[in-house]
Amino acid sequence: MKKMFVWVTLIFLAIDLVTKTWAENTLMIGGKQETVISYLYWSLLYNKGMSFGFLESRPTLVLLLNFIAISVVIYILIKYLSHSFMWYIASALIIAGGIGNFVNRLFSGHVIDFISVQGYPAIFNVADIEIRLGMVFIIILVSKDYFVEKRKEKL
């Protein structure tokens, strides 16, 4: 299972890095390119901060926080989490997304964002989707475990 976790993490990381490379080589900064989905656009942006440009003036702090977050998730995975398939997928998504953004910040000083959704106030990337999707999976898994434990207590 651990080998599969590494491979899944690497696949998610590759998807993120390949899409960022595509965006940087194809799109123009500040431009807006339509897609086949009417509310989805490609729009290249270099983000030196975190979500919504938070801490943009503190790139070293952002890099450090990114590294700490990745380390904490890896530690929790190794130390505490059950080794079920869905926990691995959720963790792989978060770790891959975190590493993808960390690699951008480390080597470029910014994250490559390029996905724009009409009505959503920020431009984001695949790593951001991976991180949020992994977090949703973890919330679902924790909620499921909580309700199973509550049900056992009533019996």
Side-chain angles (χ1 to χ4, degrees), residues 111-123:
V111 171
I112 300 165
D113 288 332
F114 62 94
I115 303 169
S116 178
V117 176
Q118 185 176 1
Y120 188 72
I123 298 173

Side-chain angles (χ1 to χ4, degrees), residues 6-63:
V6 171
W7 280 108
V8 170
T9 302
L10 290 174
I11 289 168
F12 288 143
L13 176 60
I15 291 168
D16 174 55
L17 294 176
V18 166
T19 57
K20 287 174 180 172
T21 301
W22 167 83
E24 192 165 40
N25 292 328
T26 306
L27 305 173
M28 297 192 58
I29 293 178
K32 190 174 184 180
Q33 183 178 333
E34 292 184 12
T35 67
V36 288
I37 302 171
S38 62
Y39 56 87
L40 180 69
Y41 303 94
W42 305 134
S43 186
L44 183 63
L45 171 76
Y46 295 141
N47 183 358
K48 291 183 180 185
M50 297 170 80
S51 290
F52 300 98
F54 181 65
L55 294 174
E56 189 171 32
S57 63
R58 308 282 309 268
T60 305
L61 178 59
V62 172
L63 189 65

